[in-house]
Amino acid sequence: MRRDLRGRRVLITGASSGIGACLAERAARDDARLTVAARSGDKLDELAARLSAHGAEVLAVAADVTADADRRRLLAAAVDRYDGLDVLINNAGVGANGHFADCTEAILRQIMEVNFFAPAELIRLAIPVLSRGRQPAIVNVASMCGRRGVPAWSEYSASKFALCGLTEALRAELARFAIDTLLVVPGMTRSDLGRHLLRTEARIQFDFTRGLAPEATAEGVWQALRRNRTETVLGWDARWMLRVNCFFPGLVDYLLARRVRQLYAS
């Protein structure tokens, strides 16, 4: 199936910058009717003004997707504005670079709230609305860390594994409502994730400047939605890592463990 996205009613979380903002810009070029959400109201308003100036229809809703009241208010605003919803894109995310043994329960819970519980509960709320939409779809933006756990990204990996598992389970469950459930697995992206980490304490560092441009990741997400691709892996690093891990998981374990031992040998 090839999804016609012109005029579709689309809700994007984490839209104030990075991949989310680029997704909104890409969707606007296809005349999608947008609801964009994030905690940063000022940045959202700037995005909405910029897109509206080029003729796009955009509703900006400042919301914390980890709060139930905000999730309900966000969905209600989108439905009231457009009389329904066709596409939900769960893009909001947060990470931390540090070793699990030195981390705290509070950080683990915060990451799980943003990366897993928030999209899960937003999906639950949206199911009755999406079931009445046109070619309805849910797109969950995960990470290669959701298919292969990475040291110093343990909490982030766990949250994205959970999101991948939920997506796979819902794919069959939501078929009875004719709602497509899609998963996008990007590699490193030059997004705001690397600039807003909850921790940056590990010796293992990742150079986000070498990752995909957020525009390229957004284009990949949009094309996955258009082509109704069940799962899409974006970026050479993600494709390489996941392919090697598929056939030689022990080798990947060995190489990652060796790297950690080298960094902490002193």
Side-chain angles (χ1 to χ4, degrees):
M1 182 188 82
R2 193 172 180 87
R3 181 174 279 103
D4 180 8
L5 294 170
R6 294 195 177 276
R8 289 295 190 263
R9 299 161 295 183
V10 180
L11 192 163
I12 304 171
T13 68
S16 59
S17 60
I19 297 170
C22 291
L23 261 172
E25 291 168 356
R26 180 63 186 87
R29 293 204 300 271
D30 271 356
D31 299 323
R33 293 181 287 168
L34 295 169
T35 302
V36 292
R39 289 181 299 176
S40 176
D42 291 344
K43 290 184 178 179
L44 275 183
D45 289 340
E46 291 173 7
L47 172 67
R50 187 168 68 250
L51 296 181
S52 297
H54 290 86
E57 191 173 359
V58 187
L59 171 65
V61 181
D64 180 354
V65 291
T66 67
D68 179 64
D70 279 18
R71 289 192 294 266
R72 293 179 183 275
R73 179 172 56 84
L74 168 62
L75 188 60
V79 172
D80 288 346
R81 173 68 174 267
Y82 301 118
D83 193 30
L85 184 67
D86 302 311
V87 178
L88 168 62
I89 302 179
N90 285 308
N91 169 72
V94 67
N97 179 229
H99 293 290
F100 186 78
D102 306 319
C103 197
T104 65
E105 179 183 350
I107 286 180
L108 171 60
R109 289 186 178 276
Q110 184 176 352
I111 290 174
M112 291 299 294
E113 285 288 349
V114 176
N115 295 358
F116 176 67
F117 289 113
E121 295 307 323
L122 190 52
I123 288 170
R124 198 192 310 272
L125 288 173
I127 288 171
V129 179
L130 286 170
S131 65
R132 301 190 296 271
R134 297 172 56 198
Q135 293 181 306
I138 296 164
V139 182
N140 290 330
V141 181
S143 164
M144 68 177 181
C145 294
R147 288 304 193 195
R148 167 71 218 194
V150 176
W153 289 81
S154 47
E155 297 90 358
Y156 183 77
S157 295
S159 69
K160 293 300 187 178
F161 259 85
L163 185 61
C164 289
L166 177 69
T167 306
E168 290 180 347
L170 291 182
R171 189 169 294 133
E173 284 196 30
L174 300 187
R176 65 193 176 107
F177 301 116
I179 301 173
D180 295 314
T181 309
L182 314 179
L183 181 67
V184 180
V185 182
M188 280 196 302
T189 301
R190 299 196 299 271
S191 69
D192 283 355
L193 177 68
R195 294 192 292 273
H196 296 104
L197 297 173
L198 300 181
R199 302 175 68 207
T200 54
E201 300 168 14
R203 296 186 186 182
I204 299 176
Q205 296 294 323
F206 295 88
D207 185 2
F208 285 91
T209 63
R210 299 177 61 187
L212 281 170
E215 295 84 358
T217 300
E219 181 66 29
V221 173
W222 196 245
Q223 292 305 322
L225 175 61
R226 183 192 303 281
R227 298 169 184 171
N228 205 44
R229 296 184 62 178
T230 299
E231 182 167 341
T232 303
V233 179
L234 301 175
W236 68 268
D237 57 335
R239 288 193 292 268
W240 177 87
M241 169 75 85
L242 298 183
R243 181 164 297 183
V244 173
N245 188 68
C246 179
F247 294 103
F248 306 104
L251 174 62
V252 177
D253 283 337
Y254 168 76
L255 292 174
L256 291 175
R258 185 180 69 172
R259 180 59 177 158
V260 172
R261 285 193 295 267
Q262 289 172 343
L263 289 170
Y264 287 84
S266 59

